[in-house]
Amino acid sequence: VVPLLSLFFSELFAVLVLEAFVIETEFGLQGLATVTLDAVNARDLPLVVGVTVAVAFAGISANFLQDLAHRLLDPRAGDDSV
């Protein structure tokens, strides 16, 4: 279970963020995807960069949480004697 968790957590988080953008766009829901798409169409560079940085930070945070969970769930992960 631990290897699967450490392998798939970041990827699942990335798919979740991407699917949120797709669902908001396809179903006409108001959200971050709508704001981002409007900003791209209006060439609002600060907003596009801000959303990109926020999504990148969320991905980095998910990767960090994945590493912490792996270290907590697998006692061999922090063992440097091997």
Side-chain angles (χ1 to χ4, degrees), residues 2-60:
V2 175
L4 288 176
L5 174 73
S6 65
L7 178 65
F8 291 122
F9 182 75
S10 294
E11 287 79 10
L12 288 175
F13 184 76
V15 168
L16 178 68
V17 170
L18 177 65
E19 289 298 320
F21 273 74
V22 171
I23 289 172
E24 285 180 20
T25 304
E26 288 299 316
F27 292 111
L29 301 173
Q30 297 294 320
L32 186 62
T34 307
V35 171
T36 305
L37 188 58
D38 290 342
V40 168
N41 289 333
R43 298 177 192 256
D44 186 4
L45 188 60
L47 184 57
V48 172
V49 170
V51 170
T52 304
V53 168
V55 170
F57 180 74
I60 292 168

Side-chain angles (χ1 to χ4, degrees), residues 5 61-74 77:
L5 174 73
S61 299
N63 196 1
F64 180 69
L65 288 174
Q66 172 186 344
D67 289 343
L68 285 179
H70 182 63
R71 183 172 284 261
L72 290 174
L73 295 174
D74 190 4

